[in-house]
Amino acid sequence: MTRVSRRMFLRGAGTAALTLPYLDYFAGNARAQTASTPKRLVIFQHPQGMVMDRWTPSTTGTGFAISDILAPLEAHHDKLLVLSGIDNLVRRQMMRGNAHNPAARSLLTCFPYAGSMNADGTVKAAGNQVENGAAFGPSIDQVVASRMGNPTRFARLDYKVNGMGVGENQIFWGENQVPIEAESDPGVAYARLMNEIGPVEVTEPTFGDRIRAHRGSVLDSVLGGFDRLLGRVGAEDRSRLNAHAMLIRDLEQQVDAPIIESCSPHTLALPSGFDFASRDFDNTSAPALIDNLVLALSCDLARVATVQFADGHAPTFGWLDADVPGPWENWHDMIHSGQNDPASVETMVQCQRWYTQQFNYLLDRMDSVVEADGNTLLDNSLVLWISEFGNAGVHDTRTLPVVIAGGLGGQITTGRHLSMAGHTTGDLYSTILNLFGHEDQTFGLTEPLNGDTLNRGPFDLS
Amino acid sequence: MLACEGQIGPSRIGTESAIGNASDAIERSNGLASGSDPNRNDGTPSDDGTGAEADGDSAGGGAPPSCDVPYAAPSSLRRLTDLQYRNSVRDMFGGAVVPTIGLPESQPNLGSTGLTAEADANIVSAVGAARIADSAEEIGVLVTAGLAAILPCFPAAQDSSCADTFIDTYGAKAFRRPLEEEERAILRSVYTIAEADFSFEERIGVVASALVQMPQFLYVVEAGEELDEPNAPEGVRRFSGYEMASRLSYLYWDSVPDSALLVAAESGELDTPDGIEVQARRLLDDDRAARPLRRFFREWLHLPEPEEKDLSVYPSYDEELAHAFDQELDSYLDVIIQDRDATPETLLTSDVGNVNSVMASFFGMDEGVSEGPSNWQRVTLPPERAGLLARPAVMAGLAYPADSAPIHRGKFVLNRLLCIELPSPPADALARQPVTPVGAGQRERSAARRQVAECAGCHDMMDPLGLGLEELDGIGQYRTQYADGSPVDTRGAIQVTTDVQGEFSGVQELTDLLSQSDDVKQCAARQWMRYALSRMDTADDGCSLTALTQAFEDADYSLHELFVAVTRTDAFRYRRLEVSQ
């Protein structure tokens, strides 16, 4: 059986879409899966928050209406748990320095900078705090990983999209205030995994594989057909056609997940001239790194993995027909200054939907891996998507955009949107620890400087 | 919506709002109506909860000045259904390409028309958009694999002129009209772009995958043409010949027009009612019409999916029986469809059926029927099993898992057979439901319900009707007593202002009543018109419905003639664009 991963096709303005060369194709070489299916934690993070009123679903509960920004996830609706209203209040303990460092350091650790902590575990008075530095404690992923012991070849795997420095967006922290480093070169990451998996048989892609890979180009032409028709119909019909055309544009941006059995290596296919360090290739790096992450999990080379969009400063989203940075200096400025400019807001929504598409690709891939217990890899995992800000325009770390996907082996009731107003990131992480079999009632800092309640305890997601 | 208050008559043809002040039209409408109740021609007031879906007259434009000028309600752009799409692809390529993936299932509005082909039942979602692409790619692969049979210039020629032949030939079949130059250019560019990565026959497959994703194929595009009549109301347009060809072929075949129909379109034959009728009759005579007509009856009845039955109550019910019920209904309908002289009365009373061994034994027929679920044979049904209402699929469908459902049965007769629109129950209906003792029978529960003022309006209409069918249990078996030994009371009543108002006892007496009803016949015409238009009829269609009902009567209520006659109506030949504000 041939398996092909359809990668990104860049929609060129009036030119042929850029298709990636297909090198060779690996047939399945599935290693026998162990009988017990392990539980996995995946964390997916993008910087600079969301246009929150376009992110938040308008209804709560089962069968919630998917929101504008989350629309590309519709196919996974029933495997999603959208949690709105969760606050990171630890950032309010961090009194000095720019707004980005404290948000990132505290996001997954629930601790301030190490240099702002007293020896007894309390926070220093504002005047004695440092302006920057390492997070005092490990991030939730590290806590989960280290408590697992060392069951797999890699204790954790960490990927970041974009080779430029993480800097103020360093969110993953190990023990002893050491930052977790992430790999951004899909080739290096792939080679490292394949080195463990060993050689696999090579087969040719079928015409079916290749016509699928050519989808982006065909859709581009189909949209030409829509443009022609739009001018000939009445207003109501036009809005029907426009809605359909918008979905086709989303589809063009989507990379398509092949059906794979457990631990079936894909082929790494990167376009000539690919440069993981260049912002122009984020749209190729992201699915390539996600493919690696899914390969590692499906082959049980790791049970904790992260993927991060490291660059919050000046991503260009050049592969979208998006006006970035518009009248502003860069993406960061657009986020901060474009809040009241409707055109900029639309551009932000469009770009944030791109993050959704990447998350959707991760879920597509994870949901296509069928494991020994008959569930998909996604069903056996907890995938957390979070950003360090809610409304990034004002550096607000409250009401973060939080999505959990997958049921962690049936422990989580998905297909819901819950309003979690009043709960904190500490509660979210103690919940995750409980789901992984631990009994923590708090996570991170427990003694705030001000009157904030940092931990109300884990909540029930069953 | 208000609860049913007082009596509600059937939604009437030729309502006041539809006919305005044109006195001749009122006369026509009155003349047509049968029965003696003076209230019956009052039309349906807009605030009585009836015809809320039929609120077309609020879409702007108002009523037609008279039935002498062409008029119709606005209509929406509709996407092909899964069935229409599969048939279209199959017929376009002469059977050489049979898609397996297809389109997402339609989401018919069961509270309204229940039509699968209605525009709103086929709105594309994100999942649907991906499915369309998946299916298109499959079609591309199949076209490439079967290209020798599809493209005569191949394999001798493998060049752009052979590709143009494909584009022009199959483009015209897919779009149901000749391609425009710009459309041709789009498809040519697909061929050209694919040059780098694909062989010739693969490139044709890629073009095919684009073709079947074009909105000109996926949607039934009906822009219409300006009218040359000087008195035509504003915004009214006539469907072009090619658009009419698609209307006819999707109505009778659920598929693309054949070449004869496209030739008729090109020659202008479809610009006149007579020309349309010639083609309508030709299409109806073709075997391909059988399945869409069955779909019409199915969607008219729109029976709910049979619920899981409680096997402790119905131990004989299993998948084989459920499947046999379903097939038995289809075969019953097929007999009606094949009978050129069938009328609504035939549909309601026919004793011609088909049984396999499962159904023969269910009906208690001891004649020799070959064993095996697929051996069906034509039989004369036992008298108590004659007619639509005695079909097990109908009675088991209108039932609960462990019991009959008089409410659903009453509503079925009122809403589907008499075209009476009933409002939805109030949101808190279940909460208001009176408590009855455990073990209370259907009649006792109904009586309690009807004590509650908010419930009585509708349940006074539905319950007595459904209770008269109590002799058929939750899986459509005859019974004379309930499980607790108490006797089944089969007395029922139609307590609605129709020409069949009155009392009856049991399914066959109700069948007799309904089969004599003109209201039922008019309802059949209305249902067929909705089906033919793929939308709810509105007051704007009043003149068309009047004309159709008249034609039906003139043809002695032949269903076959009804199927043809709708194509002559304004509602089928014209559309009105929404008036932009």
Side-chain angles (χ1 to χ4, degrees), chain B residues 258-304:
Chain B
D258 63 359
S259 47
L261 193 50
L262 291 177
V263 168
E266 193 191 3
S267 70
E269 210 184 298
L270 301 182
D271 298 341
T272 68
D274 288 345
I276 292 169
E277 182 175 333
V278 168
Q279 291 297 327
R281 289 188 185 281
R282 183 178 71 84
L283 268 57
L284 256 181
D285 283 343
D286 191 285
D287 288 344
R288 273 177 278 182
R291 253 196 87 179
L293 290 178
R294 192 199 279 175
R295 179 166 79 79
F296 159 61
F297 284 110
R298 282 289 193 157
E299 294 183 10
W300 170 11
L301 302 177
H302 68 62
L303 297 169

Side-chain angles (χ1 to χ4, degrees), chain B residues 44 74 79 89 211 231 262 290 346 477 484 524 530 540:
Chain B
T44 27
R79 202 209 70 207
V89 172
L211 181 62
N231 297 329
L262 291 177
T346 323
Q477 297 178 112
D484 64 3
R530 287 177 187 168
D540 288 347

Side-chain angles (χ1 to χ4, degrees), chain A residues 265-390:
Chain A
H266 61 285
T267 304
L268 182 71
L270 297 167
S272 57
F274 172 74
D275 176 6
F276 68 87
S278 160
R279 291 176 164 122
D280 296 339
F281 287 96
D282 287 2
N283 197 34
T284 308
S285 293
L289 288 168
I290 288 169
D291 285 344
N292 289 334
L293 183 151
V294 174
L295 176 62
L297 295 179
S298 74
C299 295
D300 205 22
L301 295 171
R303 294 181 184 175
V304 173
T306 70
V307 59
Q308 181 186 21
F309 293 83
D311 180 15
H313 190 68
T316 56
F317 303 97
W319 50 91
L320 301 174
D321 290 335
D323 184 21
V324 177
W328 319 103
E329 190 141 326
N330 53 39
W331 173 247
H332 172 267
D333 284 4
M334 185 176 205
I335 292 272
H336 288 312
S337 311
Q339 299 242 315
N340 297 318
D341 171 33
S344 294
V345 169
E346 286 312 312
T347 302
M348 288 181 230
V349 167
Q350 189 187 351
C351 295
Q352 286 164 354
R353 276 168 74 102
W354 178 76
Y355 290 124
T356 308
Q357 285 159 3
Q358 305 315 303
F359 186 66
N360 183 58
Y361 180 65
L362 171 65
L363 301 193
D364 274 353
R365 293 296 320 264
M366 292 185 69
D367 211 26
S368 69
V369 177
V370 179
E371 302 215 282
D373 62 358
N375 288 329
T376 66
L377 173 60
L378 179 59
D379 298 332
N380 288 324
S381 303
L382 189 161
V383 187
L384 171 67
W385 175 18
I386 198 167
S387 184
E388 78 284 7
F389 291 125

Side-chain angles (χ1 to χ4, degrees), chain A residues 210 215 228 232 240 244, chain B residues 134 137 180 182 202:
Chain A
R210 289 184 294 119
R215 177 179 287 183
R228 244 194 105 55
R232 309 196 162 187
R240 270 171 209 272
H244 186 171
Chain B
D134 288 343
E137 285 151 14
E180 292 168 11
E182 206 174 311
E202 288 175 345

Side-chain angles (χ1 to χ4, degrees), chain B residues 37-98:
Chain B
D37 190 312
N39 294 326
R40 297 179 56 237
N41 294 314
D42 286 357
T44 27
S46 61
D47 64 348
D48 66 356
T50 70
E53 298 291 341
D55 228 5
D57 49 349
S58 63
S66 89
C67 288
D68 296 333
V69 295
Y71 209 68
S75 56
S76 297
L77 184 69
R78 55 186 203 277
R79 202 209 70 207
L80 300 183
T81 65
D82 176 42
L83 177 70
Q84 291 172 338
Y85 170 90
R86 288 169 190 267
N87 290 349
S88 298
V89 172
R90 182 200 61 203
D91 293 345
M92 270 164 61
F93 295 109
V97 175
V98 180

Side-chain angles (χ1 to χ4, degrees), chain B residues 215-239:
Chain B
Q216 290 83 353
F217 168 66
L218 288 173
Y219 289 89
V220 182
V221 179
E222 298 179 327
E225 296 173 334
E226 295 259 343
L227 296 182
D228 32 27
E229 288 119 282
N231 297 329
E234 198 193 333
V236 174
R237 297 167 74 86
R238 188 177 64 206
F239 295 117

Side-chain angles (χ1 to χ4, degrees), chain B residues 36-278:
Chain B
S36 55
D37 190 312
N39 294 326
R40 297 179 56 237
N41 294 314
D42 286 357
T44 27
S46 61
D47 64 348
D48 66 356
T50 70
E53 298 291 341
D55 228 5
D57 49 349
S58 63
S66 89
C67 288
D68 296 333
V69 295
Y71 209 68
S75 56
S76 297
L77 184 69
R78 55 186 203 277
R79 202 209 70 207
L80 300 183
T81 65
D82 176 42
L83 177 70
Q84 291 172 338
Y85 170 90
R86 288 169 190 267
N87 290 349
S88 298
V89 172
R90 182 200 61 203
D91 293 345
M92 270 164 61
F93 295 109
V97 175
V98 180
T100 64
I101 296 174
L103 302 187
E105 264 184 52
S106 307
Q107 306 287 323
N109 180 354
L110 295 181
S112 170
T113 63
L115 295 171
T116 52
E118 197 166 18
D120 284 349
N122 296 289
I123 290 170
V124 177
S125 68
V127 178
R131 176 97 172 252
I132 288 169
D134 288 343
S135 174
E137 285 151 14
E138 180 195 42
I139 289 166
V141 170
L142 294 171
V143 164
T144 297
L147 198 59
I150 289 169
L151 190 56
C153 52
F154 176 82
Q158 303 194 22
D159 53 15
S160 60
S161 110
C162 187
D164 282 347
T165 305
F166 179 87
I167 289 169
D168 284 339
T169 308
Y170 292 100
K173 285 174 191 269
F175 294 2
R176 289 93 63 176
R177 57 169 170 75
L179 289 190
E180 292 168 11
E181 190 44 53
E182 206 174 311
E183 293 161 346
R184 189 177 287 125
I186 289 172
L187 293 166
R188 268 204 200 119
S189 78
V190 173
Y191 173 81
T192 314
I193 290 168
E195 208 147 19
D197 301 318
F198 297 94
S199 68
F200 175 78
E201 59 262 50
E202 288 175 345
R203 259 178 283 159
I204 300 297
V206 175
V207 171
S209 80
L211 181 62
V212 295
Q213 293 188 77
M214 294 285 275
Q216 290 83 353
F217 168 66
L218 288 173
Y219 289 89
V220 182
V221 179
E222 298 179 327
E225 296 173 334
E226 295 259 343
L227 296 182
D228 32 27
E229 288 119 282
N231 297 329
E234 198 193 333
V236 174
R237 297 167 74 86
R238 188 177 64 206
F239 295 117
S240 73
Y242 286 113
E243 287 166 352
M244 182 52 70
S246 283
R247 274 177 95 69
L248 292 169
S249 70
Y250 283 107
L251 172 59
Y252 296 121
W253 290 352
D254 271 332
S255 188
V256 286
D258 63 359
S259 47
L261 193 50
L262 291 177
V263 168
E266 193 191 3
S267 70
E269 210 184 298
L270 301 182
D271 298 341
T272 68
D274 288 345
I276 292 169
E277 182 175 333
V278 168

